[in-house]
Amino acid sequence: MSRGRVLITDCETRGVLAAARGLADAGFEVAAARSSGARSAAAHWSRSVAERLSLPDPVSDEAGFVAALEQVVSRGHFRVLLPGSDASLLDISHGRERLESQVRIGLPPSESVRRCLDKTDLAVAAAHHELDPPPTTLCRSSAEAIELARQLGFPVMVKPLSSVVGNVSRRRMSSALLTDADALAQAVADFGGSALIQEYVTGSVVSFAGVFADARLLGEAVSRYHRTWPPRAGNVCYSETIAPREALRARVVALLRELGWEGLFELELIERGDASWYAIDLNPRPYGSLALAIGAGANLPAIWCEHLLGSSPQAVTASPGVFYRWMDADLRHGLWQLRNGNGTRSRAGGVLSTHRGVVHPYFRGADPGPGVARLVEVGRRTAEHARPARRPA
Protein backbone atom coordinates (compact mmCIF):
# COMPACT_ATOMS: atom_id res chain seq x y z
CA MET A 1 0.00 0.00 0.00
CA SER A 2 1.12 3.58 -0.66
CA ARG A 3 2.62 5.53 2.23
CA GLY A 4 1.07 8.67 0.76
CA ARG A 5 1.21 10.86 -2.31
CA VAL A 6 4.11 13.26 -2.84
CA LEU A 7 4.10 16.07 -5.40
CA ILE A 8 7.50 17.15 -6.65
CA THR A 9 8.18 20.03 -9.06
CA ASP A 10 10.80 20.61 -11.78
CA CYS A 11 10.90 17.00 -12.95
CA GLU A 12 13.08 17.94 -15.94
CA THR A 13 16.15 17.79 -13.67
CA ARG A 14 18.38 14.83 -12.73
CA GLY A 15 17.92 15.47 -9.03
CA VAL A 16 14.14 15.32 -9.21
CA LEU A 17 14.25 12.11 -11.25
CA ALA A 18 16.40 10.56 -8.51
CA ALA A 19 14.03 11.85 -5.83
CA ALA A 20 11.02 10.38 -7.64
CA ARG A 21 12.71 6.98 -7.91
CA GLY A 22 13.82 7.08 -4.28
CA LEU A 23 10.35 7.98 -3.04
CA ALA A 24 8.70 5.26 -5.15
CA ASP A 25 11.25 2.71 -3.89
CA ALA A 26 10.26 3.67 -0.33
CA GLY A 27 6.57 3.11 -1.03
CA PHE A 28 5.35 6.61 -1.78
CA GLU A 29 3.13 7.44 -4.73
CA VAL A 30 4.79 10.18 -6.79
CA ALA A 31 3.30 12.96 -8.89
CA ALA A 32 5.91 14.86 -10.94
CA ALA A 33 5.30 18.31 -12.40
CA ARG A 34 7.36 19.71 -15.24
CA SER A 35 7.82 23.39 -16.03
CA SER A 36 5.83 24.42 -19.10
CA GLY A 37 8.94 25.95 -20.68
CA ALA A 38 11.03 22.78 -20.39
CA ARG A 39 11.69 20.96 -23.64
CA SER A 40 11.93 17.53 -22.02
CA ALA A 41 11.27 15.90 -18.66
CA ALA A 42 12.98 12.56 -18.14
CA ALA A 43 11.01 11.82 -14.97
CA HIS A 44 7.77 11.78 -16.98
CA TRP A 45 9.15 8.65 -18.67
CA SER A 46 9.78 6.92 -15.35
CA ARG A 47 7.78 4.02 -13.98
CA SER A 48 8.28 5.60 -10.55
CA VAL A 49 5.88 8.42 -11.44
CA ALA A 50 2.18 7.76 -11.01
CA GLU A 51 0.88 11.16 -12.17
CA ARG A 52 2.39 13.59 -14.69
CA LEU A 53 1.61 17.30 -14.51
CA SER A 54 2.69 20.56 -16.14
CA LEU A 55 2.96 23.90 -14.31
CA PRO A 56 3.89 27.44 -15.38
CA ASP A 57 7.59 28.21 -15.28
CA PRO A 58 8.53 29.10 -11.67
CA VAL A 59 11.26 31.46 -12.93
CA SER A 60 9.31 33.61 -15.37
CA ASP A 61 5.79 33.30 -13.91
CA GLU A 62 5.84 33.15 -10.11
CA ALA A 63 2.19 34.17 -9.73
CA GLY A 64 1.01 31.64 -12.32
CA PHE A 65 3.16 28.89 -10.81
CA VAL A 66 1.82 29.39 -7.28
CA ALA A 67 -1.79 29.70 -8.48
CA ALA A 68 -1.56 26.50 -10.51
CA LEU A 69 0.16 24.69 -7.65
CA GLU A 70 -2.58 25.81 -5.25
CA GLN A 71 -5.20 24.43 -7.61
CA VAL A 72 -3.41 21.07 -7.83
CA VAL A 73 -2.91 20.60 -4.09
CA SER A 74 -6.46 21.78 -3.29
CA ARG A 75 -7.68 18.41 -4.52
CA GLY A 76 -6.51 17.15 -1.14
CA HIS A 77 -4.70 14.08 -2.41
CA PHE A 78 -1.10 15.07 -1.65
CA ARG A 79 0.57 14.72 1.71
CA VAL A 80 3.94 16.36 0.90
CA LEU A 81 5.11 18.99 -1.61
CA LEU A 82 8.78 19.03 -2.59
CA PRO A 83 10.23 21.97 -4.58
CA GLY A 84 12.72 20.71 -7.16
CA SER A 85 14.63 23.91 -8.00
CA ASP A 86 15.80 27.14 -6.40
CA ALA A 87 13.09 29.11 -8.23
CA SER A 88 10.23 26.84 -7.14
CA LEU A 89 11.64 26.77 -3.59
CA LEU A 90 11.55 30.57 -3.52
CA ASP A 91 8.05 30.74 -5.02
CA ILE A 92 6.62 28.12 -2.67
CA SER A 93 8.18 29.94 0.27
CA HIS A 94 6.54 33.20 -0.88
CA GLY A 95 3.17 31.47 -1.40
CA ARG A 96 3.24 29.22 1.65
CA GLU A 97 0.09 30.74 3.19
CA ARG A 98 -1.89 29.52 0.17
CA LEU A 99 -0.40 26.03 0.29
CA GLU A 100 0.33 24.94 3.86
CA SER A 101 -3.32 24.29 4.73
CA GLN A 102 -3.48 21.77 1.88
CA VAL A 103 -0.12 19.98 1.96
CA ARG A 104 3.02 19.67 4.08
CA ILE A 105 5.99 21.65 2.73
CA GLY A 106 8.24 21.69 5.79
CA LEU A 107 10.07 24.88 4.86
CA PRO A 108 11.83 27.00 7.46
CA PRO A 109 10.87 30.69 7.77
CA SER A 110 11.06 32.77 4.59
CA GLU A 111 14.14 34.61 5.82
CA SER A 112 15.99 31.31 6.24
CA VAL A 113 15.02 30.25 2.71
CA ARG A 114 16.30 33.57 1.37
CA ARG A 115 19.58 33.24 3.27
CA CYS A 116 20.17 29.71 1.97
CA LEU A 117 19.77 30.95 -1.62
CA ASP A 118 21.93 34.06 -1.10
CA LYS A 119 25.58 33.38 -1.95
CA THR A 120 26.77 36.40 0.03
CA ASP A 121 25.06 35.17 3.20
CA LEU A 122 26.52 31.71 2.63
CA ALA A 123 30.03 33.15 2.42
CA VAL A 124 29.61 35.15 5.62
CA ALA A 125 28.04 32.30 7.60
CA ALA A 126 30.56 29.72 6.35
CA ALA A 127 33.41 31.89 7.60
CA HIS A 128 31.95 31.66 11.12
CA HIS A 129 32.47 27.87 11.08
CA GLU A 130 35.92 27.44 9.51
CA LEU A 131 34.44 26.82 6.07
CA ASP A 132 35.57 30.14 4.57
CA PRO A 133 35.05 30.30 0.80
CA PRO A 134 37.97 31.30 -1.45
CA PRO A 135 38.61 35.07 -1.30
CA THR A 136 35.34 36.62 -2.50
CA THR A 137 34.37 40.25 -3.19
CA LEU A 138 31.03 41.82 -4.07
CA CYS A 139 31.43 44.07 -7.14
CA ARG A 140 28.75 46.62 -8.07
CA SER A 141 29.80 47.20 -11.67
CA SER A 142 31.60 45.54 -14.57
CA ALA A 143 34.51 47.99 -14.24
CA GLU A 144 34.95 47.14 -10.57
CA ALA A 145 34.80 43.41 -11.34
CA ILE A 146 37.38 43.66 -14.13
CA GLU A 147 39.76 45.68 -11.97
CA LEU A 148 39.55 43.09 -9.19
CA ALA A 149 39.96 40.19 -11.62
CA ARG A 150 43.14 41.75 -13.00
CA GLN A 151 44.48 42.06 -9.46
CA LEU A 152 43.66 38.44 -8.68
CA GLY A 153 44.69 37.20 -12.12
CA PHE A 154 42.42 35.42 -14.59
CA PRO A 155 40.71 32.99 -14.52
CA VAL A 156 38.21 33.98 -11.82
CA MET A 157 34.90 32.59 -10.68
CA VAL A 158 31.98 34.96 -11.18
CA LYS A 159 28.78 34.23 -9.26
CA PRO A 160 25.33 35.86 -9.19
CA LEU A 161 24.15 36.99 -5.78
CA SER A 162 21.46 34.31 -6.11
CA SER A 163 20.69 31.68 -8.73
CA VAL A 164 17.40 33.48 -9.46
CA VAL A 165 18.22 36.99 -10.69
CA GLY A 166 15.83 39.93 -11.04
CA ASN A 167 12.50 40.98 -9.56
CA VAL A 168 9.99 41.70 -12.34
CA SER A 169 11.76 39.85 -15.16
CA ARG A 170 13.56 36.98 -13.45
CA ARG A 171 16.21 34.70 -14.92
CA ARG A 172 18.01 31.56 -13.78
CA MET A 173 21.77 32.21 -13.66
CA SER A 174 24.77 30.02 -12.86
CA SER A 175 28.31 30.63 -11.71
CA ALA A 176 31.04 30.53 -14.34
CA LEU A 177 34.81 30.35 -14.63
CA LEU A 178 35.91 33.21 -16.89
CA THR A 179 39.25 33.89 -18.52
CA ASP A 180 38.95 37.39 -19.99
CA ALA A 181 37.58 40.86 -19.27
CA ASP A 182 34.96 40.91 -22.06
CA ALA A 183 33.29 37.73 -20.83
CA LEU A 184 33.39 39.02 -17.26
CA ALA A 185 31.75 42.32 -18.22
CA GLN A 186 28.96 40.46 -20.04
CA ALA A 187 28.40 38.15 -17.06
CA VAL A 188 28.11 41.03 -14.59
CA ALA A 189 25.61 42.72 -16.91
CA ASP A 190 23.61 39.48 -17.18
CA PHE A 191 23.59 39.20 -13.38
CA GLY A 192 21.95 42.62 -13.11
CA GLY A 193 25.05 44.78 -12.60
CA SER A 194 26.38 43.14 -9.42
CA ALA A 195 28.31 39.92 -8.97
CA LEU A 196 30.58 38.04 -6.60
CA ILE A 197 34.14 37.71 -7.89
CA GLN A 198 35.93 34.78 -6.35
CA GLU A 199 39.55 33.76 -6.61
CA TYR A 200 39.91 30.52 -8.57
CA VAL A 201 41.41 27.79 -6.41
CA THR A 202 42.06 24.16 -7.27
CA GLY A 203 41.51 21.13 -5.12
CA SER A 204 39.33 18.08 -4.70
CA VAL A 205 35.62 18.94 -4.63
CA VAL A 206 33.61 17.28 -1.87
CA SER A 207 29.82 17.07 -1.68
CA PHE A 208 28.26 16.88 1.78
CA ALA A 209 24.56 16.13 1.32
CA GLY A 210 21.82 15.07 3.66
CA VAL A 211 18.59 15.83 5.47
CA PHE A 212 18.72 18.36 8.30
CA ALA A 213 15.81 18.74 10.71
CA ASP A 214 15.33 19.46 14.40
CA ALA A 215 18.90 20.84 14.45
CA ARG A 216 20.43 17.47 13.54
CA LEU A 217 21.31 15.29 10.58
CA LEU A 218 18.72 12.62 9.78
CA GLY A 219 20.75 11.35 6.83
CA GLU A 220 24.08 12.13 5.20
CA ALA A 221 25.97 11.25 2.02
CA VAL A 222 29.51 12.51 1.44
CA SER A 223 31.25 12.07 -1.90
CA ARG A 224 34.39 13.20 -3.70
CA TYR A 225 34.31 14.43 -7.29
CA HIS A 226 36.71 12.72 -9.67
CA ARG A 227 35.58 14.48 -12.86
CA THR A 228 33.25 17.34 -13.79
CA TRP A 229 31.73 18.81 -16.93
CA PRO A 230 32.84 21.40 -17.88
CA PRO A 231 36.23 20.12 -16.68
CA ARG A 232 37.60 23.01 -14.62
CA ALA A 233 34.45 24.22 -12.86
CA GLY A 234 31.35 22.24 -13.71
CA ASN A 235 28.82 19.70 -12.48
CA VAL A 236 30.02 16.34 -11.25
CA CYS A 237 30.04 13.60 -13.87
CA TYR A 238 32.05 10.96 -11.97
CA SER A 239 32.28 10.70 -8.18
CA GLU A 240 32.56 8.30 -5.27
CA THR A 241 31.02 8.18 -1.81
CA ILE A 242 33.51 8.51 1.06
CA ALA A 243 33.29 8.13 4.82
CA PRO A 244 32.30 11.43 6.47
CA ARG A 245 34.84 13.11 8.71
CA GLU A 246 33.63 14.22 12.12
CA ALA A 247 35.34 17.62 11.87
CA LEU A 248 33.55 18.40 8.61
CA ARG A 249 30.22 17.07 9.88
CA ALA A 250 30.36 19.32 12.94
CA ARG A 251 31.08 22.41 10.82
CA VAL A 252 28.30 21.64 8.33
CA VAL A 253 25.78 21.14 11.15
CA ALA A 254 26.81 24.45 12.73
CA LEU A 255 26.49 26.23 9.37
CA LEU A 256 23.00 24.85 8.71
CA ARG A 257 21.90 25.82 12.21
CA GLU A 258 23.06 29.39 11.66
CA LEU A 259 21.30 29.62 8.30
CA GLY A 260 18.16 28.11 9.80
CA TRP A 261 17.73 25.46 7.13
CA GLU A 262 15.52 22.36 7.37
CA GLY A 263 15.15 19.74 4.65
CA LEU A 264 17.20 18.25 1.84
CA PHE A 265 20.52 19.95 1.11
CA GLU A 266 23.88 19.63 -0.59
CA LEU A 267 26.91 21.70 0.40
CA GLU A 268 29.77 21.73 -2.12
CA LEU A 269 33.27 22.30 -0.79
CA ILE A 270 36.86 22.34 -2.00
CA GLU A 271 39.18 20.24 0.14
CA ARG A 272 42.37 22.10 1.02
CA GLY A 273 45.76 20.53 1.60
CA ASP A 274 45.71 21.26 5.34
CA ALA A 275 42.62 19.11 6.05
CA SER A 276 40.28 22.13 5.92
CA TRP A 277 37.59 23.08 3.44
CA TYR A 278 36.31 25.99 1.37
CA ALA A 279 32.50 26.18 1.14
CA ILE A 280 31.58 27.12 -2.44
CA ASP A 281 27.85 26.46 -2.93
CA LEU A 282 24.69 25.35 -1.11
CA ASN A 283 21.80 23.58 -2.85
CA PRO A 284 18.79 23.48 -0.47
CA ARG A 285 16.73 21.03 -2.57
CA PRO A 286 17.22 17.86 -4.69
CA TYR A 287 20.65 18.16 -6.31
CA GLY A 288 22.19 16.72 -9.48
CA SER A 289 23.95 13.63 -8.07
CA LEU A 290 21.22 12.69 -5.57
CA ALA A 291 21.03 9.25 -7.21
CA LEU A 292 24.44 8.44 -5.67
CA ALA A 293 23.22 8.98 -2.11
CA ILE A 294 20.17 6.78 -2.73
CA GLY A 295 22.28 4.11 -4.45
CA ALA A 296 24.65 4.12 -1.47
CA GLY A 297 21.85 3.45 1.01
CA ALA A 298 20.84 6.97 2.09
CA ASN A 299 17.38 7.57 0.58
CA LEU A 300 17.36 11.25 1.51
CA PRO A 301 14.02 12.30 -0.07
CA ALA A 302 12.22 9.41 1.61
CA ILE A 303 13.81 10.26 4.98
CA TRP A 304 12.64 13.87 4.65
CA CYS A 305 9.06 12.87 3.74
CA GLU A 306 8.92 10.35 6.59
CA HIS A 307 10.01 13.08 8.99
CA LEU A 308 7.38 15.52 7.65
CA LEU A 309 4.68 12.88 8.10
CA GLY A 310 5.51 12.42 11.77
CA SER A 311 7.65 9.29 11.89
CA SER A 312 11.14 9.14 13.37
CA PRO A 313 13.43 7.70 10.70
CA GLN A 314 16.69 6.23 11.91
CA ALA A 315 19.73 8.33 10.99
CA VAL A 316 21.43 6.90 7.89
CA THR A 317 24.91 7.39 6.41
CA ALA A 318 25.69 6.51 2.77
CA SER A 319 28.10 3.62 2.36
CA PRO A 320 31.57 4.60 1.08
CA GLY A 321 33.00 3.23 -2.16
CA VAL A 322 29.90 3.60 -4.36
CA PHE A 323 30.46 5.36 -7.70
CA TYR A 324 28.27 7.74 -9.70
CA ARG A 325 28.54 8.43 -13.42
CA TRP A 326 26.58 10.91 -15.53
CA MET A 327 27.29 9.12 -18.77
CA ASP A 328 26.93 11.70 -21.55
CA ALA A 329 28.68 14.43 -19.53
CA ASP A 330 31.56 12.08 -18.63
CA LEU A 331 31.96 11.07 -22.27
CA ARG A 332 32.24 14.74 -23.20
CA HIS A 333 34.89 15.10 -20.51
CA GLY A 334 36.87 12.25 -22.09
CA LEU A 335 36.58 13.75 -25.57
CA TRP A 336 37.76 17.07 -24.17
CA GLN A 337 40.84 15.36 -22.75
CA LEU A 338 41.64 13.84 -26.14
CA ARG A 339 41.11 17.06 -28.09
CA ASN A 340 43.07 19.25 -25.69
CA GLY A 341 45.93 16.90 -24.97
CA ASN A 342 45.18 16.85 -21.25
CA GLY A 343 46.62 13.74 -19.62
CA THR A 344 47.69 10.57 -21.35
CA ARG A 345 45.71 8.84 -24.06
CA SER A 346 45.18 5.89 -21.72
CA ARG A 347 43.69 8.21 -19.10
CA ALA A 348 41.25 9.64 -21.62
CA GLY A 349 40.47 6.11 -22.75
CA GLY A 350 39.63 5.22 -19.16
CA VAL A 351 37.05 8.00 -19.11
CA LEU A 352 35.57 6.85 -22.41
CA SER A 353 35.34 3.19 -21.39
CA THR A 354 32.22 1.64 -19.86
CA HIS A 355 31.90 1.04 -16.11
CA ARG A 356 29.94 -1.63 -14.26
CA GLY A 357 28.33 -1.44 -10.85
CA VAL A 358 27.93 2.33 -11.01
CA VAL A 359 24.90 4.48 -10.15
CA HIS A 360 23.62 6.47 -13.13
CA PRO A 361 21.25 9.46 -12.99
CA TYR A 362 19.20 8.40 -16.03
CA PHE A 363 19.95 4.76 -16.89
CA ARG A 364 18.38 2.09 -14.69
CA GLY A 365 17.60 -1.44 -15.81
CA ALA A 366 14.23 -1.69 -14.10
CA ASP A 367 13.24 1.81 -15.25
CA PRO A 368 14.56 2.34 -18.81
CA GLY A 369 12.30 5.20 -19.88
CA PRO A 370 14.38 8.13 -18.54
CA GLY A 371 17.51 6.69 -20.16
CA VAL A 372 15.76 6.53 -23.52
CA ALA A 373 14.47 10.08 -23.02
CA ARG A 374 17.98 11.29 -22.28
CA LEU A 375 19.38 9.63 -25.40
CA VAL A 376 16.70 11.34 -27.48
CA GLU A 377 17.44 14.70 -25.87
CA VAL A 378 21.22 14.40 -26.36
CA GLY A 379 20.70 13.35 -29.98
CA ARG A 380 18.44 16.31 -30.62
CA ARG A 381 20.91 18.78 -29.12
CA THR A 382 23.80 17.24 -31.05
CA ALA A 383 21.86 17.57 -34.30
CA GLU A 384 21.04 21.21 -33.53
CA HIS A 385 24.68 22.07 -32.85
CA ALA A 386 25.82 20.29 -36.00
CA ARG A 387 23.26 22.01 -38.21
CA PRO A 388 24.93 24.79 -40.26
CA ALA A 389 23.65 28.31 -39.68
CA ARG A 390 21.43 29.70 -42.40
CA ARG A 391 22.97 32.40 -44.50
CA PRO A 392 20.90 35.38 -45.65
CA ALA A 393 19.85 35.29 -49.29
Side-chain angles (χ1 to χ4, degrees):
M1 295 181 63
S2 172
R3 300 172 67 179
R5 302 191 74 211
V6 177
L7 171 61
I8 187 166
T9 68
D10 306 275
C11 72
E12 58 271 16
T13 67
R14 288 173 287 127
V16 170
L17 170 60
R21 284 170 164 169
L23 289 167
D25 291 345
F28 290 95
E29 187 177 350
V30 180
R34 63 177 289 173
S35 300
S36 57
R39 299 183 67 172
S40 63
H44 273 188
W45 293 51
S46 174
R47 293 173 177 171
S48 300
V49 173
E51 184 177 0
R52 296 156 180 84
L53 304 168
S54 180
L55 298 173
D57 188 343
V59 176
S60 60
D61 187 5
E62 177 180 356
F65 173 77
V66 173
L69 200 53
E70 181 183 20
Q71 184 177 16
V72 170
V73 299
S74 65
R75 302 173 189 170
H77 300 312
F78 300 104
R79 302 189 72 188
V80 177
L81 169 62
L82 289 180
S85 71
D86 291 350
S88 58
L89 170 62
L90 196 61
D91 294 353
I92 290 170
S93 179
H94 290 164
R96 66 178 67 205
E97 292 183 358
R98 299 166 60 180
L99 302 171
E100 283 182 318
S101 63
Q102 307 287 342
V103 66
R104 291 175 177 86
I105 58 176
L107 293 183
S110 296
E111 176 60 15
S112 295
V113 172
R114 185 203 64 76
R115 294 191 68 197
C116 290
L117 294 173
D118 189 300
K119 298 182 187 300
T120 305
D121 277 7
L122 172 63
V124 172
H128 295 161
H129 305 288
E130 299 180 81
L131 295 173
D132 314 52
T136 305
T137 302
L138 171 59
C139 293
R140 300 289 187 181
S141 68
S142 295
E144 187 180 346
I146 292 169
E147 177 61 27
L148 177 62
R150 286 172 175 160
Q151 293 175 16
L152 295 173
F154 284 100
V156 295
M157 290 296 302
V158 58
K159 297 184 173 184
L161 304 189
S162 174
S163 61
V164 182
V165 176
N167 294 317
V168 178
S169 178
R170 301 194 305 175
R171 303 178 306 283
R172 183 184 292 110
M173 306 301 295
S174 300
S175 305
L177 179 66
L178 301 180
T179 59
D180 62 79
D182 290 342
L184 179 55
Q186 183 61 57
V188 174
D190 291 342
F191 292 169
S194 296
L196 295 173
I197 307 302
Q198 191 171 87
E199 181 179 341
Y200 177 61
V201 299
T202 59
S204 179
V205 179
V206 171
S207 163
F208 194 116
V211 175
F212 192 72
D214 296 335
R216 63 189 181 94
L217 285 168
L218 302 183
E220 60 184 337
V222 185
S223 58
R224 176 173 286 113
Y225 293 5
H226 293 304
R227 294 188 291 270
T228 65
W229 181 256
R232 297 179 69 185
N235 295 314
V236 61
C237 56
Y238 193 66
S239 61
E240 175 188 7
T241 51
I242 59 176
R245 297 175 62 174
E246 182 55 39
L248 178 57
R249 179 190 291 117
R251 295 175 194 179
V252 171
V253 166
L255 171 61
L256 294 172
R257 283 176 177 166
E258 177 173 339
L259 292 173
W261 179 247
E262 291 220 346
L264 278 166
F265 75 92
E266 182 205 29
L267 180 66
E268 290 183 308
L269 311 109
I270 295 177
E271 191 170 28
R272 304 163 69 176
D274 58 355
S276 61
W277 299 268
Y278 292 117
I280 55 175
D281 205 6
L282 176 64
N283 297 309
R285 36 79 182 163
Y287 57 98
S289 58
L290 177 58
L292 175 59
I294 297 171
N299 193 339
L300 302 180
I303 291 170
W304 174 234
C305 288
E306 289 168 7
H307 170 77
L308 287 181
L309 295 175
S311 65
S312 300
Q314 184 176 2
V316 173
T317 299
S319 300
V322 180
F323 288 84
Y324 165 88
R325 191 185 194 202
W326 179 12
M327 180 74 75
D328 54 277
D330 204 28
L331 291 175
R332 281 182 283 177
H333 180 107
L335 291 171
W336 172 85
Q337 285 191 348
L338 287 175
R339 290 169 181 168
N340 291 274
N342 294 307
T344 63
R345 189 172 293 272
S346 61
R347 180 182 174 188
V351 177
L352 297 172
S353 63
T354 59
H355 299 254
R356 293 184 178 180
V358 177
V359 175
H360 296 271
Y362 294 103
F363 298 95
R364 188 177 183 181
D367 187 28
V372 173
R374 183 61 182 175
L375 285 175
V376 171
E377 174 66 10
V378 170
R380 181 188 60 77
R381 291 184 179 180
T382 301
E384 287 180 352
H385 291 158
R387 187 179 301 131
R390 291 185 178 180
R391 295 182 178 180

